[in-house]
Amino acid sequence: MALHFVTDEAGGAQPGDTVELTGSEAHHAAAVRRVRVDEAVTLGDGRGAWLSGVVTAASPKQVEVRVTGREIVPAPSPRFVLVQALAKGDRDELAVQAATELGVDAIVPWQASRSVSRWDAKADKGLARWRTIVREAAKQAHRAWIPEVETVARTADLVRLAETSLVLVLEPSASDRLTSVAAEASDGRDVVLVVGPEGGIAPEELSALADAGARLVRLGDTVLRTSTAGAAAISVLSAAHGRW
């Protein structure tokens, strides 16, 4: 499979054009992935444009690609949205990376009441970190669409979200299995998966979400870590909706 790189220039490029990779992307292509002249590669802008091309020049500061083909990949529908509670260490970052590779379409950081990690004044830094992780994971997975990382949400924001989207809250004590409801979203609404922090979702948060119309579901008979639950749920949704 051809190596894949991301650049905004891919959005408007047509067959016959030359697209230049510069900065960190050029360094990654030439010095890390070691692309060579005449090698076939693919390029994307992260918003649906997908180019095939051939490398015509390669150095750590600039890589040139002659475009040989172009297509536009439609945005997935319905969208799969992961609401990931902030977690200690790098567990939330692992969750974001895996969910991106497995097909999530948008990610919402959630400051849950039991979240040990508190972004507060460092929210901008945290968002920038997550967006970098998502971009690199999407590139690694050769995805035409890079998931959007939205601003930090509070529980009240999730309650409002349940009014317009199918919100599925992963809760080990729930009676319904995710596999039994995964294919129900056929009306175009976003399918939102809510994953709690290490200590689980607080009872008052579960009640507020359920009262707003969210459904509590479980993945199985075991309890997964916050770093793996979202990825497992995205896999179930992808299979149920024919993405896999």
Side-chain angles (χ1 to χ4, degrees):
M1 181 178 290
L3 297 177
H4 180 66
F5 303 100
V6 177
T7 173
D8 289 339
E9 285 191 38
Q14 300 293 329
D17 292 346
T18 295
V19 174
E20 296 181 354
L21 302 179
T22 58
S24 61
E25 198 71 359
H27 181 270
H28 178 72
V32 179
R33 304 307 300 270
R34 298 189 178 278
V35 296
R36 295 293 181 260
V37 172
D38 294 332
E39 183 174 354
V41 298
T42 58
L43 303 175
D45 66 349
R47 297 181 295 278
W50 190 267
L51 310 178
S52 54
V54 177
V55 176
T56 57
S59 74
K61 292 186 177 181
Q62 182 172 306
V63 174
E64 296 181 358
V65 178
R66 177 172 53 82
V67 179
T68 59
R70 174 186 173 88
E71 65 176 302
I72 297 297
V73 180
S77 180
R79 290 197 317 159
F80 298 160
V81 180
L82 173 65
V83 174
Q84 175 63 51
L86 303 183
K88 63 183 179 181
D90 61 352
R91 289 180 181 175
D92 50 14
E93 294 180 357
L94 291 172
V96 167
Q97 180 183 46
T100 300
E101 293 179 8
L102 291 167
V104 77
D105 302 307
I107 295 172
V108 180
W110 176 31
Q111 187 74 72
S113 65
R114 289 181 175 175
S115 289
V116 175
S117 175
R118 314 298 293 186
W119 279 7
D120 299 324
K122 58 180 181 179
D124 289 344
K125 182 178 179 181
L127 287 171
R129 172 66 177 164
W130 280 29
R131 286 167 179 157
T132 297
I133 291 171
V134 165
R135 177 185 173 88
E136 294 307 308
K139 184 167 64 175
Q140 168 68 32
H142 289 212
R143 294 192 57 181
W145 288 85
I146 297 178
E148 179 182 358
V149 179
E150 301 178 8
T151 56
V152 184
R154 305 286 177 171
T155 302
D157 299 316
L158 305 189
V159 169
R160 288 190 291 270
L161 193 60
E163 298 173 357
T164 57
S165 305
L166 174 60
V167 175
L168 304 176
V169 182
L170 299 185
E171 168 53 43
S173 65
S175 57
D176 291 335
R177 291 179 180 267
L178 176 60
T179 50
S180 67
V181 301
E184 291 186 11
S186 59
D187 58 0
R189 290 188 299 164
D190 288 349
V191 182
V192 181
L193 293 166
V194 179
V195 177
E198 298 91 332
I201 301 175
E204 60 272 17
E205 291 174 322
L206 289 173
S207 296
L209 290 167
D211 290 345
R215 298 185 63 171
L216 307 187
V217 296
R218 61 189 173 97
L219 282 165
D221 297 328
T222 58
V223 178
L224 300 184
R225 291 180 182 271
T226 187
S227 56
T228 56
I234 290 294
S235 300
V236 172
L237 289 179
S238 294
H241 287 265
R243 295 195 185 185
W244 287 10

